[in-house]
């Protein structure tokens, strides 16, 4: 039986990392007092990631040992129109225990299966015209890559909705979220919108009597409106 040499295995891993657009770093050090992770890449360049930019360290047991560290990079330049952050990742075969305690993400690599013909119970709503119309770009460049790292697939594990009228969020909540909530089904709403989108969803949930089995949907609000007063106040 032919045994693969460590050198060939390393080359294969590096090639795979390059195909996926992921750098493979070595010598990771974590300063918990400053929440900064420092590592040297294969070219021996020292790179520092600030804790405020780190989304999480995602285990990838079905791909390779270790974790993908997923973080955001601000690509905005002075005087230019606002842009969503860029989501980057670096793979680490070993990480300090303190870092994993602070940023490790435990998730199921086998997404939940739903009955045939039944949509998922996670809904992502893009409010197309909220604020400066950044919601669609923010989803594509920031939200979708993070969901992908969680192993979640559009149409199979979550439904994606774009608002097409002033009643899109109200209609979805009234006809889908509310009946399922009244049936005791736990749901998750990821809302890329301003204050109005949240108010529309809440008003629709309260538009009819709630059953004893009612399970309130959880809401993740990504503030992409103009003032986002509700988000800042909460």
């Amino acid at each position: 039986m032919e045994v693969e040499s460590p050198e060939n295995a390393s080359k294969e891993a590096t090639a795979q990392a390059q195909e996926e657009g992921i750098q493979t770093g070595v010598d990771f050090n974590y300063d918990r007092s400053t929440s900064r992770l420092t590592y040297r890449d294969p070219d021996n360049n020292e790179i520092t990631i600030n804790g405020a930019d780190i989304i999480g360290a995602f285990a990838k047991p079905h791909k390779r040992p270790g974790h993908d560290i997923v973080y955001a990079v601000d690509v905005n330049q002075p005087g230019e129109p606002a842009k969503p952050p860029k989501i980057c990742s670096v793979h680490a075969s070993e990480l300090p225990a303190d870092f994993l305690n602070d940023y490790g993400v435990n998730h199921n690599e086998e997404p939940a299966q739903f009955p045939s013909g039944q949509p998922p119970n996670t809904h992502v709503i893009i409010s197309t015209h909220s604020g400066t119309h950044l919601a669609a770009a923010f989803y594509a460049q920031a939200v979708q890559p993070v969901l992908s790292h969680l192993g979640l697939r559009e149409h199979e594990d979550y439904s994606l909705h774009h608002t097409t009228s002033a009643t899109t969020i109200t209609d979805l909540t009234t006809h889908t979220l509310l009946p399922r909530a009244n049936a005791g089904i736990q749901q998750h709403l990821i809302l890329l919108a301003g204050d109005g989108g949240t108010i529309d969803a809440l008003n629709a949930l309260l538009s009819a009597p709630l059953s004893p089995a009612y399970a309130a949907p959880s809401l993740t609000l990504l503030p992409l409106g103009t003032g986002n007063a509700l988000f800042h106040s909460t």
Side-chain angles (χ1 to χ4, degrees):
M1 182 177 67
E2 183 179 352
V3 179
E4 185 178 31
S5 69
E7 181 182 359
N8 288 337
S10 176
K11 289 179 179 178
E12 181 180 350
T14 301
Q16 181 183 15
Q18 290 173 345
E19 288 176 4
E20 296 178 1
I22 300 171
Q23 293 179 310
T24 302
V26 294
D27 298 330
F28 285 82
N29 295 293
Y30 178 52
D31 185 340
R32 202 170 199 177
S33 64
T34 61
S35 296
R36 290 182 177 179
L37 182 73
T38 304
Y39 70 94
R40 291 191 176 276
D41 67 13
D43 296 323
N44 205 36
N45 299 309
E46 185 173 276
I47 298 174
T48 297
I49 307 175
N50 292 320
D53 299 326
I54 298 173
I55 297 168
F58 298 80
K60 299 290 182 179
H62 297 303
K63 291 186 177 180
R64 54 179 178 262
H67 295 76
D68 284 349
I69 304 165
V70 182
Y71 60 100
V73 175
D74 186 357
V75 297
N76 287 287
Q77 298 294 331
E80 294 184 359
K83 299 177 182 178
K86 179 182 179 181
I87 301 301
C88 300
S89 63
V90 58
H91 184 73
S93 57
E94 293 183 8
L95 284 167
D98 283 351
F99 180 80
L100 289 177
N101 286 336
D102 291 346
Y103 294 101
V105 178
N106 295 318
H107 67 284
N108 185 1
E109 285 278 352
E110 298 295 335
Q113 299 297 312
F114 298 92
S116 177
Q118 294 295 315
N121 291 317
T122 295
H123 299 269
V124 180
I125 301 180
I126 297 173
S127 183
T128 310
H129 296 296
S130 288
T132 55
H133 303 182
L134 278 177
F138 193 91
Y139 168 78
Q141 297 180 38
V143 177
Q144 193 279 330
V146 174
L147 294 177
S148 179
H149 275 286
L150 284 167
L152 301 178
R153 300 156 297 183
E154 184 183 333
H155 305 304
E156 297 182 43
D157 305 302
Y158 66 92
S159 296
L160 180 64
H161 312 269
H162 291 78
T163 59
T164 56
S165 71
T167 64
T168 297
I169 296 175
T170 300
D171 293 341
L172 174 67
T173 306
T174 302
H175 300 300
T176 301
L177 269 67
L178 181 57
R180 288 188 171 195
N182 273 332
I185 298 172
Q186 185 61 59
Q187 301 168 95
H188 188 189
L189 178 62
I190 302 173
L191 187 57
L192 289 76
D195 297 340
T198 304
I199 293 170
D200 287 345
L202 293 176
N203 285 340
L205 287 172
L206 298 173
S207 64
L210 305 181
S211 76
Y214 178 79
S218 60
L219 170 66
T220 298
L221 174 60
L222 301 179
L224 289 161
T226 303
N228 303 300
L230 178 62
F231 174 85
H232 290 297
S233 66
T234 55

